Amino acid sequence: MKLFYAPASPFVRKVMVFIKELGLEDKVELVKISTTVIDQNADLAASNPVTKIPTLVMDNGKGLFDSRVITAYLDSLVSSKSLYPAEGEARWDVLCMEALADGLMDAAVNNRYERGMRPADKQWDAWSDGQVKKVHGALTALDGMAASFGDRIDAGIVGAACSCGYLDFRYPDIGWRESYPALGAWYAKFSKRTSMQETQPPS
């Protein structure tokens, strides 16, 4: 398999953490690329028509995207360990938490594009403020759940950790740990896992 990736993406990081937690490092070739909305990578477009990362090219040549599809596929390859509960309420709780974390990352990335790439005279403050509000809404929800996280690891937990890591990376002045102390305390411990240490975005 081949993974198109860029180390700054929180969605890529989620997939990379899955690869490490599931012991699939020797099964996935990493292909580092640069792609943006306005400068799209042709090799990536051949496997993913919307040219977004991460994209996983399976052994049969087909491309898989987005990150939640990739993580579910990777999980299906390992019979001895699963990061998705098989059934029941626990399964839906994990899937919903993964979607919540993805929503946080999506809003944070969208705002990063707005502030970092769009010309200053074309930036829309109200739209940007709305994205930040989504981030805080997700953080409030995760903070309320954090006391129940314990030492468990699943797709929702990995997503939450990668979203926290992205805030550290791109929003170091937001002070999310002070505003969401339960989540911050949990993340301080979880971020020490080898899979998290080895997938940190570039400084």
Side-chain angles (χ1 to χ4, degrees), residues 12-26:
V12 164
R13 189 180 190 187
K14 185 176 72 166
V15 170
M16 297 284 283
V17 170
F18 258 72
I19 289 171
K20 292 180 179 297
E21 291 288 346
L22 295 172
L24 294 172
E25 292 101 322
D26 62 339

Side-chain angles (χ1 to χ4, degrees), residues 50-138:
V50 295
T51 60
K52 295 179 71 174
I53 52 172
T55 293
L56 182 74
V57 181
M58 298 184 293
D59 291 335
N60 63 8
K62 291 183 179 180
L64 284 183
F65 49 89
D66 61 2
S67 65
R68 272 180 280 180
V69 176
I70 296 172
T71 55
Y73 175 71
L74 293 173
D75 194 76
S76 75
L77 301 179
V78 179
S79 59
S80 60
K81 182 178 183 180
S82 177
L83 300 183
Y84 290 96
E87 58 187 4
E89 186 174 354
R91 177 173 177 80
W92 304 118
D93 285 347
V94 167
L95 289 173
C96 191
M97 184 175 164
E98 183 182 15
L100 175 65
D102 279 1
L104 191 164
M105 292 188 288
D106 192 50
V109 169
N110 283 341
N111 188 58
R112 170 73 181 175
Y113 272 116
E114 178 73 9
R115 294 307 193 191
M117 293 192 65
R118 192 183 298 274
D121 63 326
K122 293 181 172 60
Q123 292 179 15
W124 185 7
D125 290 343
W127 187 90
S128 183
D129 290 344
Q131 297 302 319
V132 174
K133 186 176 181 179
K134 290 181 181 183
V135 168
H136 284 288

Side-chain angles (χ1 to χ4, degrees), residues 142-197:
L142 291 170
D143 191 59
M145 302 174 190
S148 69
F149 291 170
D151 295 326
R152 85 172 201 260
I153 179 166
D154 55 41
I157 289 290
V158 172
C162 291
S163 64
C164 290
Y166 187 71
L167 294 180
D168 282 347
F169 176 49
R170 292 300 195 194
Y171 296 82
D173 298 327
I174 200 172
W176 68 268
R177 285 177 176 78
E178 292 74 25
S179 299
Y180 308 98
L183 183 63
W186 164 78
Y187 181 68
K189 182 178 180 180
F190 190 88
S191 63
K192 295 177 182 177
R193 292 182 73 91
T194 300
S195 62
M196 293 292 291
Q197 290 291 311

Side-chain angles (χ1 to χ4, degrees), residues 27-48:
K27 304 291 186 182
V28 183
E29 175 190 356
L30 302 179
V31 181
K32 185 177 179 181
I33 63 167
S34 176
T35 188
T36 69
V37 173
I38 58 177
D39 185 16
Q40 298 177 357
N41 182 281
D43 291 334
L44 176 61
S47 298
N48 181 347

